Amino acid sequence: MTDLRPETRVVHLPKPSVHGSTPITVPLYQTSGFVFDDPAVFADGMGRPDGAYVYARYSNPTVRALEEAVSDLEGGVAAVAAGSGMGAINTVLLGLLQPGDHVIAQRALYGGTAHMLHDLSERYGLQVTHVPENDPQAVRDAVRPETKLLYLETIANPMTQVADLPGMCAAAREAGILTVVDNTFASPLLCRPLEHGADIVVHSTTKYLSGHADLVGGITVFADDALYRKVWSYSCALGASCDPFAAWLTLRGMQTLALRMERHCANARTVATRLTGHPAVAAVHWPGLPDHPSYELAAKLMPDFGGVLSFDLAGGREAGAKFMSTIEVALLAPSLGGVETLVLHPATTSHRFLDEDGLAAAGIGPGTVRLAIGIEHPEDLWADIARALDAL
Ligand SMILES: *Cc1c(COP(=O)(O)O)cnc(C)c1O
């Protein structure tokens, strides 16, 4: 059967076949290299991603199974797995750009990506222009002869703005530049950016795809075979490759992706809705709330709205710090996408290097709290949050 839904395809992952039968699960090939009888086959495998497996920095059957599974979910032609989300992002940026090139990136970016773009501009002469995530005209206005790439995130951190993927990708295509979309917060179950005109999708598989907070990984999916081969070849040289065991754990986690996303989204809806009515809360940011600036766009692009939300405490920085010390079920930790609910206070952790003005420019308040909602029982989550709010 060919037209299976994503919820079924994540369960029935592609498996490398063995003589005469196929294992139910993807085997772990924990080996650094492969042995050859024929030196010509050896040589051929070093030069292309679809030859024989040679060395784990180039390719490995377990890693390849992960690449095929994620590529299939995103509707791509092929994928390159990496040792982390930043490894995947840097493989793309460094593999496709050169000094003097110009990149247009949305203003609200994952911290590591913003840091890297800044570093590449300071040390390697990359030119970067930031635009709003929902303004195709700003892309048209920013394009120059040396513009190579538009960089977007489906759902941004921590204020959960949703990018206008169809409009932004179309503007990039008109200008003849590539679009790269970080789809980590949505997962391919909620959004498939290639269907909206993107050329490349990146993920931190650390988050929803693996789903159990037990590894760091990343992956890049391509709409085009030539682009895939170019980045694969650069990935072999850069060495930000994916370890087979991390790939195996990611595949194992991915089989429950659809179930987990359903619960993450449902729990986020319960918490976001109830937070909205609480007197200690000044504002709630979750794209599934009708008064969120991205609501209409999000409803067009996604069947549900993700598991990350943030809210502003009326009591500001002090209330943020107090909330963190009172909450119990939600764990005080970075990252997202695992089964446990995690909470952080951007002003004192992830964005502590920003002063009040810098926080304001990023749209983050001193009392903003970010929740990465897990799959616990929603009433336990809410009781914990309500208790911490009532103590303020
Ligand atoms: C976590 C994250 C990254 C970086 O991924 P790592 O696996 O931590 O390297 C990139 N983009 C987004 C949106 C993320 O959440």
Side-chain angles (χ1 to χ4, degrees):
M1 288 181 67
T2 52
D3 52 354
L4 297 172
R5 292 166 180 77
E7 291 79 356
T8 308
R9 303 205 313 268
V10 285
V11 174
H12 295 278
L13 296 167
K15 261 88 54 176
S17 65
V18 190
H19 311 287
S21 65
T22 309
I24 295 174
T25 63
V26 177
L28 170 57
Y29 288 82
Q30 191 70 25
T31 179
S32 61
F34 295 81
V35 181
F36 291 88
D37 293 327
D38 184 342
V41 177
F42 185 172
D44 175 65
M46 295 196 69
R48 60 192 178 104
D50 37 11
Y53 295 107
V54 175
Y55 186 54
R57 175 153 49 79
Y58 297 24
S59 291
N60 168 285
T62 310
V63 175
R64 179 57 51 78
L66 173 65
E67 291 168 340
E68 286 179 2
V70 178
S71 175
D72 171 61
L73 281 183
E74 288 285 3
V77 297
V80 176
S84 69
M86 285 315 302
I89 290 164
N90 280 315
T91 303
V92 169
L93 294 179
L94 298 172
L96 296 178
L97 297 170
Q98 48 190 38
D101 281 349
H102 178 232
V103 171
I104 304 172
Q106 73 175 51
R107 196 163 285 136
L109 281 176
Y110 176 73
T113 308
H115 183 105
M116 199 59 210
L117 284 174
H118 181 71
D119 191 71
L120 287 174
S121 75
E122 298 261 294
R123 301 200 302 143
Y124 294 95
L126 190 75
Q127 309 176 67
V128 184
T129 303
H130 291 285
V131 297
E133 72 285 345
N134 57 0
D135 189 350
Q137 189 55 45
V139 174
R140 289 183 202 104
D141 294 343
V143 169
R144 311 173 192 165
E146 59 277 19
T147 308
K148 290 284 157 54
L149 194 143
L150 171 66
Y151 192 97
L152 303 171
E153 296 183 2
T154 312
I155 306 174
N157 181 49
M159 306 312 270
T160 67
Q161 304 93 319
V162 175
D164 175 6
L165 295 181
M168 300 291 275
C169 292
R173 188 142 300 198
E174 277 165 41
I177 63 173
L178 296 173
T179 304
V180 178
V181 180
D182 183 333
N183 197 33
T184 301
F185 272 45
S187 93
L189 265 293
L190 297 185
C191 185
R192 289 173 290 280
L194 301 183
E195 291 175 0
H196 301 292
D199 301 284
I200 297 175
V201 171
V202 293
H203 279 280
S204 166
T205 56
T206 311
K207 316 294 169 54
Y208 291 111
L209 284 170
S210 65
H212 294 77
D214 52 7
L215 62 91
V216 192
I219 198 159
T220 309
V221 184
F222 301 85
D224 174 82
D225 188 65
L227 213 48
Y228 159 62
R229 283 169 197 274
K230 183 171 178 180
V231 173
W232 174 80
S233 167
Y234 186 75
S235 161
C236 295
L238 183 67
S241 324
C242 181
D243 179 72
F245 186 50
W248 186 83
L249 282 173
T250 305
L251 283 162
R252 181 176 162 118
M254 262 176 69
Q255 291 184 291
T256 55
L257 176 64
L259 272 180
R260 287 186 282 107
M261 285 314 290
E262 225 174 280
R263 183 63 166 254
H264 284 298
C265 293
N267 279 356
R269 176 178 298 281
T270 301
V271 170
T273 309
R274 293 186 187 178
L275 279 170
T276 304
H278 198 284
V281 176
V284 184
H285 313 279
W286 185 63
L289 295 173
D291 62 353
H292 188 284
S294 302
Y295 173 72
E296 279 176 30
L297 186 59
K300 262 191 267 172
L301 292 179
M302 304 188 282
D304 213 327
F305 303 92
V308 177
L309 62 91
S310 62
F311 58 97
D312 304 333
L313 289 168
R317 186 177 287 265
E318 207 176 306
K322 175 114 192 265
F323 183 86
M324 290 301 126
S325 61
T326 325
I327 195 119
E328 276 175 17
V329 177
L331 307 174
L332 186 48
S335 199
L336 62 122
V339 293
E340 308 88 350
T341 295
L342 306 181
V343 62
L344 65 82
H345 180 218
T348 54
T349 56
S350 58
H351 294 70
R352 71 190 177 287
F353 49 89
L354 296 177
D355 58 14
E356 299 301 272
D357 288 346
L359 283 176
I364 299 166
T368 298
V369 171
R370 188 195 78 174
L371 282 168
I373 300 286
I375 64 167
E376 300 93 335
H377 194 290
E379 296 304 336
D380 290 334
L381 284 183
W382 177 249
D384 185 36
I385 293 165
R387 200 183 38 80
L389 288 176
D390 293 342
L392 294 178

